[in-house]
Amino acid sequence: MEKVAVVTGANRGLGREVAKKLAARGYRVVGTVRDVAAGELMRDRYATEGLAFTPLAVDVTAEDAGARLFAAVPDGVDVVVNNAAVLLDGFDVEVVDRTLAVNWYGAVRVAEALLPALRDGGRLVNVSSGMADEAGLEPALRARLQDEALDRRGIDALMAEFRGSVAAGARSGWPRSAYRVSKVAIDAWTRHLARALAGDPRRLRVNAVCPGWVSTDMGGPAAPRSVEQGAASILWATEVPPDGPSGGFFRDGRPAAW
Ligand SMILES: NC(=O)c1ccc[n+]([C@@H]2O[C@H](COP(=O)([O-])OP(=O)(O)OC[C@H]3O[C@@H](n4cnc5c(N)ncnc54)[C@H](OP(=O)(O)O)[C@@H]3O)[C@@H](O)[C@H]2O)c1
């Protein structure tokens, strides 16, 4: 059976490299793009190299994004790379809203839509960041994030609390970075998902990965790592075997501290 992968944010940066490498490994890759014309150009160019790339016009903040993704993989999916994200300047409630819409609610939308479509041994890879390192968080917040009873609704409530504290101009123990908080949420949710799916007969693996500081539009030109190096860190988690780790946070294939 043809191997199928979904990569969000496949038109540039790490997502593009991951999508291309997965296609080279024999996957039919459904890659989300927001610029349809650019996606079609990618499809045609990859086709000349024998690579199967299907562009799918999806904004992960759109209500119908999940339904569109699910419909794009009618025979199921082996690998989902939850990669699309934004890193915005500034720190106010508007930045919090725009960041969480993509990096938290968007990522959840993508994964929850595609989890039912994951085949036996399927892997969900949530692209996180070293900035999500929980060691630097205030102990009370860290304890709440690491509470084993914390589920997606609980994380939603934490995000609402974070937003409320920013709107109120309160300090209240949260980092002053919407991006960092969104990735902390992704990590906590990765742990929750792995626990919740532990008994699933499909033997699904769910992990978070850090690509390192990579020279992309987001990482900027000063970043020490190439797109190929960052993508390799992500691709490692797409190959975790059905009895491999789940619920972990990895960089370059090695466990990283939360
Ligand atoms: N670069 C780094 O140093 C670094 C470090 C740690 C973690 N990461 C993580 O690695 C991942 C990829 O980062 P990158 O450096 O490749 O970023 P990037 O070059 O800025 O690319 C971001 C991708 O996300 C897409 N995207 C943004 N908003 C979207 C939305 N609402 N709906 C659908 N797609 C959307 C973009 O599409 P458009 O072109 O349409 O905007 C683009 O394809 C992210 O999760 C990031 O947090 C990066």
Side-chain angles (χ1 to χ4, degrees):
M1 184 187 279
E2 178 188 47
K3 295 189 294 182
V4 178
V6 171
V7 180
T8 62
N11 57 304
R12 61 187 167 98
L14 288 158
R16 179 170 65 187
E17 180 67 15
V18 166
K20 189 167 186 189
K21 286 271 161 56
L22 287 172
R25 292 177 186 181
Y27 285 85
R28 179 173 75 81
V29 177
V30 176
T32 77
V33 297
R34 292 193 291 176
D35 180 338
V36 180
E40 287 171 352
L41 277 177
M42 285 175 70
R43 178 196 59 204
D44 296 346
R45 197 168 60 244
Y46 287 173
T48 65
E49 299 173 42
L51 305 179
F53 178 80
T54 306
L56 186 70
V58 163
D59 184 320
V60 300
T61 66
E63 286 288 331
D64 67 349
R68 289 170 60 73
L69 282 160
F70 186 74
V73 291
D75 299 321
V77 61
D78 300 282
V79 165
V80 176
V81 181
N82 220 344
N83 167 79
V86 291
L87 170 58
L88 305 174
D89 290 334
F91 185 61
D92 58 25
V93 77
E94 193 215 326
V95 168
V96 168
D97 283 342
R98 287 169 54 210
T99 301
L100 294 183
V102 182
N103 299 11
W104 169 242
Y105 297 106
V108 168
R109 180 178 289 117
V110 168
E112 289 187 344
L114 291 173
L115 278 171
L118 274 171
R119 295 171 175 162
D120 183 46
R123 281 134 288 167
L124 168 64
V125 181
N126 291 324
V127 182
S128 183
S129 164
M131 283 180 72
D133 183 358
E134 292 171 8
L137 298 177
E138 295 207 0
L141 175 59
R142 189 175 178 199
R144 291 170 78 192
L145 287 162
Q146 295 188 349
D147 182 348
E148 293 213 347
L150 186 69
D151 60 9
R152 203 213 87 190
R153 281 175 191 277
I155 303 170
D156 279 346
L158 282 174
M159 294 304 101
E161 183 185 309
F162 167 58
R163 182 191 188 279
S165 78
V166 176
R171 175 64 186 88
S172 60
W174 287 97
R176 291 182 56 79
S177 160
Y179 179 82
R180 184 172 178 204
V181 170
S182 71
K183 295 298 188 180
V184 160
I186 288 291
D187 287 359
W189 177 60
T190 300
R191 294 192 290 263
H192 160 70
L193 270 181
R195 285 192 296 269
L197 293 166
D200 192 296
R202 294 172 295 168
R203 307 178 297 165
L204 305 179
R205 306 287 100 182
V206 182
N207 289 294
V209 291
C210 170
W213 183 20
V214 180
S215 181
T216 61
D217 293 341
M218 181 184 289
R225 304 192 98 201
S226 67
V227 172
E228 290 78 10
Q229 286 173 307
S233 191
I234 298 170
L235 286 160
W236 175 85
T238 71
E239 295 194 318
V240 166
D243 60 352
S246 192
F249 182 37
F250 297 89
R251 180 185 292 147
D252 297 333
R254 288 185 291 278
W258 287 108

